[in-house]
Amino acid sequence: MNNCIFCKIIAGEIPSAKVYEDEEIVIFKDIEPKAAVHLLCVPKEHFAYLSELDGARAALVGRTMQKIGQLKEQLGLSAGYRVVINQGENAGQTVHHLHLHLLGGETLGW
Ligand code: AMP
Ligand code: ZN
């Protein structure tokens, strides 16, 4: 998608600190970490909102969450972590390509 920073990261057009990649998702370090471990888990398909989920995308997001659970030790999240999906203006979403924030590596305040 034109001018989408995460699509450019996925395409390798701008650098990122990738920690995992497969055919349908990429996980890389957030450039402005809000916790000791702050990763972004990004499905490679470009869409912005949960309201755009059809059956195939819902299944993709399900597999994405399953993969996060499988990778938690490797990602440094074995002691617990938080998954955040910002949606829209009030949530402060700044990148309009669906992504899951993975926060952990320390005790998190609410
Ligand atoms: P959101 O506010 O939920 O849309 O989150 C977007 C996140 O992307 C923010 O936490 C940013 O710090 C992060 N971010 C923006 N540009 C980059 C980049 N080039 N590499 C890594 N993380 C980025
Ligand atoms: Zn995109």
Side-chain angles (χ1 to χ4, degrees):
M1 183 62 80
N2 277 350
N3 269 335
C4 171
I5 191 165
F6 286 176
C7 281
K8 288 179 180 171
I9 285 174
I10 289 161
E13 293 169 8
I14 62 172
S16 69
K18 283 182 191 166
V19 297
Y20 177 81
E21 181 168 17
D22 64 24
E23 63 282 353
E24 56 186 5
I25 65 168
V26 62
I27 304 177
F28 54 89
K29 294 182 181 178
D30 195 294
I31 205 167
E32 285 184 48
K34 303 294 191 296
V37 177
H38 186 174
L39 303 171
L40 299 171
C41 181
V42 186
K44 290 184 175 178
E45 183 183 352
H46 179 96
F47 60 97
Y49 303 113
L50 295 174
S51 56
E52 298 176 85
L53 292 186
D54 56 13
R57 286 174 176 168
L60 169 62
V61 172
R63 288 193 301 276
T64 299
M65 299 191 84
Q66 181 182 37
K67 183 61 74 175
I68 291 164
Q70 291 168 347
L71 293 173
K72 65 183 169 69
E73 280 87 11
Q74 159 177 347
L75 298 176
L77 300 169
S78 53
Y81 57 99
R82 182 170 294 153
V83 180
V84 172
I85 305 177
N86 288 322
Q87 291 283 274
E89 190 176 345
N90 277 7
Q93 185 179 7
T94 57
V95 178
H96 298 276
H97 180 136
L98 191 90
H99 54 281
L100 294 78
H101 293 259
L102 310 179
L103 299 150
E106 62 181 326
T107 302
L108 302 170
W110 181 235

